[in-house]
Amino acid sequence: MGDSLKERVALVTGAVGGIGRAIAVHLAQEGAALGLHYLVEPDEVAKAFLTEFTQQGFRAKLYKADVSKFEDATQLVERVIKDFGRIDILVNNAGITMDRTLKNMTPDQWEKVIAVDLSSVFYCSKAVIGQMLERGYGRIIGISSVVGQKGNIGQTNYAAAKAAIIGFTKALALETAKKGITVNAVAPGFVKTAMTGQIPKEILDKIVETIPVGRMAEPGEVARAVLFLADEKSSYITGQVVNVNGGLYM
Ligand code: NAD
């Protein structure tokens, strides 16, 4: 617990999912006020998380929106700014997988993953950037993936979206480098969440055998990297990808 983010307002997309929750808790423990965004979880699950969160003394509000749609993402950002006055830290964490080999992948499965995992990053970043530029301060952090760096069978859609987040990060970092805004990405390896829970155990066991550290990551291990990049003092780190992958890709 600290107060390094005491004056800061953060919006985390997908904040009721596995990694999102850990990111929200890490930022709140440093004093940030949190916009907790969700979509797919039942409302009761999201509300229970908010209750658990605020009972620890953290400042937070819950927002439901489909960030794969431009209007919804823009409205989400507007609502958070209305409630908290501004957004200093945006964590583009919402994401899905729809795994199929290319031969079997439908255009819908391609488009859906690109919309949720990639277009949402453009929509939310675009919606916050104006006020960050005006105030001369901002931290934008995207959650990429090791799959965007080294590929993975059955994930052409997901790998394309996650690799594109890295290009987006570097381009926006250049555009905003002189304006007090840093733009970075965190690329996790395989993390214990509902997303990897969809992978059959025998395949997961085989994946774990290839991880040098010999195990999957805990969500908090990814959140630590996000917190580091979100810090005001990380102002000289921009356009970077921080790999949290147990040595799976170097
Ligand atoms: P998760 O399924 O637990 O959480 C994903 C979140 O995204 C959920 O909270 C969900 O509400 C939200 N979401 C899904 N569709 C949405 C939409 N259309 N609009 C708004 N929100 C939507 O998964 P997770 O493992 O916590 O994943 C978080 C991020 O980390 C994702 O971007 C994922 O690609 C990335 N990632 C995960 C792993 C892993 O091994 N779990 C590895 C690398 C990267």
Side-chain angles (χ1 to χ4, degrees), residues 16 97 104-105 124 152 197 209 211 232:
V16 182
T97 50
N104 298 318
M105 189 177 291
C124 292
N152 198 22
E209 277 171 25
I211 302 171
E232 189 171 343

Side-chain angles (χ1 to χ4, degrees), residues 17-19 37 39-41 66-67 93 95 144 158 162 189 191 193 196:
I19 295 173
H37 156 268
L39 180 69
V40 299
E41 292 80 6
D66 183 350
V67 292
N93 166 72
S144 177
Y158 185 75
K162 293 298 179 179
V191 189
T193 69
T196 46

